[in-house]
Amino acid sequence: MRGLGTRASGTGHTGGDPCSGPLRPGPTPARGTLQAAITAVAVLAALTLFMSACGTGGTGARDEGPAHADSVAGTAPSAAPVPSRTAERLDAVRLVKADPAVSAEVKRELKPCVADQYPVDVSYGDLTGQSADDVIVNVLTCGDAVGIGSYVYREKGGSYQNVFKAEEPPVYAEIDRGDLVVTKQVYEKGDPVSAPSGENVITYRWSGTRFTQAYTMHNDYGKTAGDGPTPVPDN
């Protein structure tokens, strides 16, 4: 290659460095109007291409330097997954039976109702303000589902410790907005098991080492006409 300033035979182009001035179309053979038009278009296209190269420093590409990492499109790194608070599902029956704080009477009543189905309700939630969920276990009777024992277990050192118990039936414990709420039904003389006269609702809060009573509420159940026998309609 001899440089851009050398005239090539039969190209129809003359001149020196294309970046120093416009290229001029040279004489073309007389081959008719159509041939002249084709040649002119080709020359103009070549002229435009070379002028563009000169306007960008002769490289034909923009001089921008290396691309920055932040200019490369891509997905933002996803946040690290938050570990679940939910405790592993425990064998509540085994936990209660192995707990020395549970009375012998409750353990004796804790037996399957049907096949291997035990009468226990288990809840998981935050009661003591630690990373692992606390566990509430309510032990019920098989026939009428009366609560005979309620317990709260807190994880510590890989095992669960009893931090609360209530064994005055009928009793039932649950979580309400971070508080431990224990409901004890009240029976008056003659009340059937299915129709107590009222209930005491006691709210407990974790003090850092144990549950302390926050407040107590009592509800009286209303007596309705539907409690009595339903009269048989006349024919």
Side-chain angles (χ1 to χ4, degrees):
M1 188 171 182
R2 299 186 180 183
L4 300 176
T6 303
R7 177 177 178 179
S9 176
T11 61
H13 296 168
T14 61
D17 187 350
C19 294
S20 62
L23 297 176
R24 299 179 178 83
T28 58
R31 298 181 180 179
T33 305
L34 180 60
Q35 181 66 31
I38 294 175
T39 303
V41 171
V43 171
L44 289 175
L47 177 62
T48 302
L49 179 61
F50 278 105
M51 293 303 292
S52 298
C54 293
T56 57
T59 62
R62 297 179 59 189
D63 297 327
E64 293 183 343
H68 296 286
D70 56 1
S71 67
V72 179
T75 57
S78 58
V82 178
S84 174
R85 282 186 48 87
T86 305
E88 293 183 3
R89 295 300 181 256
L90 301 176
D91 186 342
V93 174
R94 182 178 180 182
L95 185 64
V96 170
K97 287 189 173 183
D99 185 0
V102 177
S103 68
E105 182 179 359
V106 171
K107 290 180 180 180
R108 185 169 54 251
E109 294 294 327
L110 184 53
K111 53 189 176 182
C113 298
V114 178
D116 59 348
Q117 301 299 313
Y118 286 81
V120 294
D121 287 347
V122 186
S123 301
Y124 300 86
D126 182 16
L127 286 171
T128 64
Q130 63 174 6
S131 58
D133 275 341
D134 303 301
V135 183
I136 297 179
V137 181
N138 287 288
V139 180
L140 315 172
T141 60
C142 287
D144 42 27
V146 172
I148 59 176
S150 298
Y151 311 93
V152 177
Y153 293 92
R154 185 173 190 259
E155 192 275 335
K156 185 176 181 181
S159 61
Y160 284 85
Q161 298 181 346
N162 188 322
V163 291
F164 178 88
K165 74 172 182 176
E167 295 181 329
E168 301 82 16
V171 61
Y172 197 89
E174 55 192 338
I175 301 173
D176 184 6
R177 291 169 291 186
D179 291 334
L180 173 63
V181 179
V182 178
T183 302
K184 298 181 178 181
Q185 292 180 325
V186 177
Y187 290 87
E188 295 181 355
K189 186 177 181 180
D191 286 343
V193 174
S194 60
S197 295
E199 65 181 11
N200 293 325
V201 182
I202 308 170
T203 301
Y204 296 88
R205 288 177 180 161
W206 183 251
S207 65
T209 56
R210 62 189 182 91
F211 284 100
T212 58
Q213 184 173 318
Y215 50 86
T216 302
M217 178 176 64
H218 176 79
N219 295 321
D220 282 327
Y221 298 151
K223 299 298 183 181
T224 63
D227 291 340
T230 303
V232 178
D234 297 333
N235 292 330

